[in-house]
Amino acid sequence: MAQITSFDRRRVNGPDDSFPPIFSDEDQPGSSSSSPLQRESRKPKDIRPIFLQTGLITQANGSAYIETGNSKVVCAVYGPRQAKNTSYSEKGKLNVEVKFAPFASQRRKVPNRDAEDRSLAVLIHQAIVPSVRLELFPKSSMDVFLTVIENDGIQSCGTAGTIAASAALADAGIEMLGLVVSCAGSVMSNGEIWLDPTTRELEHSRASLTLSCMPALGLITNVSQTGQVTPQEAIQCMDACEERCSDIHMVVASALHKNQSAL
Amino acid sequence: MSTSKSEQSYTAQGLISNPPLRSDGRSLLDYRPICMSTGVYPQANGSAKVECGGSEVVVGVMCEIDHEGNEDHSFSANGRIKCNVLCTPSAYPAHSPPALDDLSYDLSVILSDVYSDPGLLPSNLVVVPGRKSWTIHIDALVTADGGNLLDVLFLAVRAALWNCRVPSTKNIEYKGSSQLGNESAFVTQHRTSHAADFEIKDFWEDGESLANRETFPIAITLNLLSSIHFLDATHLESMAAQSRLIFIYSFSQSTLEGNPTIRGIKYFGEAMPLKNVHTHMPNAQNYARELYSSSQMQLGVEESSRRQGRVAWR
């Protein structure tokens, strides 16, 4: 048992550790026998419906809220403003910060300690940075703050975060070359490609791939893959993601248009 | 290291000219000489040092016993591989400590993403089935960065894992006997199904090498600049390139002729059409295969010379 260093005997102290309950009708993770070969409720190349709204956070220059199935992400953009450090920079600086709400995942994330996810921030930064015209903002910086409220599939947090960040940048009126949208796919153990996997589906996947692109220009801004795939599967997955991205682009464009006409 | 605009454009002009010109006289697809040595740290279970041009990475691999019900409840019965990369301040004198931490963290994530895949886990990490297993800690130290760090890092980690020897163990079992005091109640057996604990074999050989170690991956960084691509960029050249496309491949004896397995794809830099990824994939595959075979040859030489040394010592 770990020694409790800051023990306050005036309070009711809970146990050191906590675990999510395991229900008897839930299939155990990692058991191959329960591997779903057929996807429930949607086709392999379908993604979960997207709800996107911009301009929710009034004090931010731009903001967006996105919901895809159970994944929920909020994004706020502040800037462009004068860079804090005194050194001269010819191009603007784009900072991306991703934080998880303590209740976002199955296990609680301790605030301030493991709430921040730098790897996700790096992924989203690379996805949106080629689209922003940073050469127009010398000596200035822009901050993109993302908060994951609920996480259903870590890949979908990255894709939803990218879409929300790009929509919020557009909402802030920052000049961009095009809207960035993102789509994830996973290669299942039977070799099938399922787009936009949930946490449950990821447990049975062999590999996953995230593709971010600007469908208006036909350019990709980021591609990231983990797990094991054959070159053919990787190409198939990238093509499937790119195809779906043009649909997502329509959703983002109509959300921005709706917000604009509401003003 | 910061570079001026004119330096970058001068380097880029050289690279895209016909014939291409690089400051050290290499062709676009040449690597700088790679120097690889294994078994450099006797206290580690496996170690390697790889130098390529100005980049230098040292890796130590340590095996540690992990048991059921450990502190962070992360026990895996089949063993685990954990990675950590540390960038030393001497390699990056211009970086502030937080920037150095971020860089170390980013490299650790790239390495962990690849090595945490269960498909790469060696099969011989189980000690007491369901109870105890080996955790392999890979610790990489970047002592100098002269560009193309990721390729060198993966090469060094692979060499250290190739060199790694898992201590051989035998399992022991307790059998209650009706006639106490007759003989020892501990029965030692190898790979028993009711094993309670284990002990390290006292054996002159330092253990067995990791199973399917030839599948440990190789990284290839393609530096893209307008219509050309080049390998093993120096610092200045990587600043001149528009983007970097990284493929991580895993080979085995059976896939040496056919298609290898992709273990990871990463991308950094400006936007590009998707078909570029498709066209570069077969190229990267060929470069990775060449790097794999030459590193494999060197590892073979290292291993056989060590074996001979041991025979002579006996």
Side-chain angles (χ1 to χ4, degrees):
Chain A
M1 182 69 84
Q3 196 71 40
I4 306 163
T5 46
S6 57
F7 184 80
D8 187 354
R9 53 179 68 251
R10 289 166 299 185
R11 289 173 200 282
V12 178
N13 289 286
D16 289 9
D17 283 342
S18 70
F19 297 95
I22 298 167
F23 299 101
S24 57
D25 58 335
E26 218 173 70
D27 60 350
Q28 291 289 314
S31 58
S32 56
S33 58
S34 62
S35 170
L37 293 173
Q38 283 253 299
R39 203 171 199 184
E40 304 153 14
S41 71
R42 56 182 159 135
K43 292 202 191 86
K45 299 281 163 71
D46 280 355
I47 56 168
R48 288 171 281 178
I50 294 174
F51 172 79
L52 179 72
Q53 197 178 341
T54 53
L56 282 114
I57 302 164
T58 45
Q59 64 167 11
N61 295 71
S63 62
Y65 170 74
I66 189 168
E67 214 177 287
T68 64
N70 283 334
S71 290
K72 301 177 180 82
V73 182
V74 188
C75 175
V77 173
Y78 292 88
R81 58 185 173 197
Q82 190 184 344
K84 279 180 204 123
N85 53 351
T86 46
S87 66
Y88 173 76
S89 66
E90 191 185 4
K91 277 174 136 192
K93 209 169 169 311
L94 187 74
N95 302 314
V96 179
E97 221 168 84
V98 179
K99 287 211 166 152
F100 279 81
F103 46 83
S105 316
Q106 276 290 306
R107 280 197 86 158
R108 177 173 179 262
K109 299 221 179 215
V110 183
N112 298 326
R113 204 184 64 199
D114 53 5
E116 206 174 325
D117 193 319
R118 193 178 143 77
S119 52
L120 211 53
V122 168
L123 184 93
I124 294 171
H125 181 265
Q126 169 55 38
I128 57 174
V129 99
S131 76
V132 185
R133 296 196 62 195
L134 290 172
E135 67 275 13
L136 297 179
F137 305 102
K139 299 188 279 185
S140 47
S141 72
M142 282 157 264
D143 295 306
V144 178
F145 297 116
L146 291 136
T147 310
V148 179
I149 298 174
E150 200 175 336
N151 163 12
D152 192 3
I154 193 71
Q155 264 74 29
S156 73
C157 287
T159 58
T162 306
I163 298 166
S166 191
L169 282 167
D171 185 44
I174 290 164
E175 259 193 75
M176 294 192 289
L177 297 169
L179 281 171
V180 179
V181 294
S182 181
C183 185
S186 61
V187 181
M188 307 308 288
S189 41
N190 59 356
E192 239 179 77
I193 290 165
W194 290 7
L195 293 186
D196 194 20
T198 63
T199 308
R200 277 283 283 282
E201 288 163 354
L202 278 173
E203 281 165 15
H204 303 287
S205 73
R206 179 149 55 82
S208 55
L209 186 140
T210 307
L211 184 91
S212 307
C213 61
M214 293 188 273
L217 299 176
L219 298 174
I220 63 157
T221 57
N222 195 6
V223 55
S224 169
Q225 184 258 318
T226 53
Q228 68 176 97
V229 284
T230 61
Q232 290 80 12
E233 282 167 343
I235 289 172
Q236 270 173 30
C237 197
M238 280 190 266
D239 287 340
C241 286
E242 201 198 25
E243 200 188 321
R244 195 54 68 210
C245 274
S246 51
D247 297 342
I248 305 170
H249 186 256
M250 291 302 292
V251 174
V252 180
S254 72
L256 283 168
H257 191 254
K258 204 190 278 173
N259 186 50
Q260 204 61 38
S261 52
L263 289 175
Chain B
M1 191 172 71
S2 59
T3 50
S4 71
K5 263 184 161 178
S6 45
E7 256 180 309
Q8 283 173 27
S9 93
Y10 177 77
T11 315
Q13 284 301 319
L15 285 163
I16 57 174
S17 66
N18 193 20
L21 295 164
R22 294 175 86 165
S23 56
D24 42 11
R26 282 182 288 159
S27 81
L28 290 180
L29 304 178
D30 276 349
Y31 263 78
R32 291 166 290 184
I34 300 173
C35 174
M36 183 192 271
S37 45
T38 54
V40 284
Y41 300 113
Q43 69 271 35
N45 295 84
S47 58
K49 178 174 158 183
V50 173
E51 276 179 73
C52 175
S55 296
E56 186 182 294
V57 178
V58 291
V59 179
V61 175
M62 301 281 262
C63 299
E64 220 170 60
I65 287 286
D66 194 16
H67 56 88
E68 202 184 2
N70 58 2
E71 287 75 38
D72 52 345
H73 308 284
S74 56
F75 174 72
S76 145
N78 296 323
R80 269 187 305 170
I81 300 184
K82 282 183 149 187
C83 308
N84 191 40
V85 181
L86 192 69
C87 297
T88 57
S90 61
Y92 302 92
H95 280 52
S96 65
L100 212 56
D101 285 348
D102 285 348
L103 187 67
S104 306
Y105 180 79
D106 290 347
L107 288 170
S108 304
V109 168
I110 294 177
L111 202 60
S112 309
D113 273 353
V114 173
Y115 276 99
S116 62
D117 185 47
L120 270 183
L121 205 64
S123 52
N124 55 346
L125 297 182
V126 181
V127 179
V128 181
R131 287 248 193 92
K132 285 179 180 175
S133 63
W134 291 107
T135 295
I136 296 186
H137 291 273
I138 302 172
D139 287 290
L141 201 66
V142 179
T143 47
D145 181 5
N148 200 27
L149 186 61
L150 216 55
D151 294 14
V152 181
L153 176 66
F154 269 85
L155 216 53
V157 169
R158 190 171 189 279
L161 286 171
W162 185 271
N163 177 243
C164 177
R165 294 281 180 279
V166 184
S168 24
T169 56
K170 60 181 170 190
N171 289 345
I172 53 174
E173 186 181 356
Y174 180 77
K175 273 187 183 161
S177 133
S178 51
Q179 297 159 299
L180 278 170
N182 204 359
E183 49 187 324
S184 169
F186 283 102
V187 181
T188 58
Q189 252 176 284
H190 192 64
R191 299 267 181 253
T192 158
S193 54
H194 309 291
D197 212 340
F198 73 99
E199 57 187 32
I200 304 265
K201 276 193 204 167
D202 192 13
F203 191 45
W204 69 272
E205 181 74 75
D206 17 318
E208 53 189 52
S209 51
L210 294 168
N212 49 6
R213 56 180 178 169
E214 78 267 8
T215 57
F216 291 132
I218 291 257
I220 280 284
T221 306
L222 296 184
N223 301 278
L224 312 178
L225 178 63
S226 64
S227 62
I228 62 147
H229 63 273
F230 58 99
L231 300 177
D232 192 25
T234 62
H235 236 299
L236 190 58
E237 285 166 345
S238 66
M239 302 292 264
Q242 284 162 334
S243 54
R244 286 187 293 151
L245 184 59
I246 298 146
F247 289 98
I248 298 159
Y249 283 107
S250 173
F251 295 87
S252 62
Q253 284 309 327
S254 54
T255 59
L256 201 52
E257 272 75 49
N259 279 328
T261 313
I262 300 180
R263 296 280 179 187
I265 303 173
K266 294 271 175 270
Y267 182 71
F268 300 98
E270 293 172 20
M272 66 164 181
L274 181 61
K275 81 172 193 307
N276 277 16
V277 184
H278 296 351
T279 51
H280 285 308
M281 207 183 273
N283 295 332
Q285 204 168 301
N286 290 335
Y287 308 145
R289 184 173 289 129
E290 272 173 41
L291 192 59
Y292 167 81
S293 351
S294 53
S295 77
Q296 208 64 359
M297 209 184 290
Q298 175 63 20
L299 290 171
V301 168
E302 290 257 332
E303 200 162 61
S304 63
S305 71
R306 189 161 306 123
R307 202 167 289 146
Q308 277 168 6
R310 193 177 283 139
V311 169
W313 177 75
R314 277 171 84 204

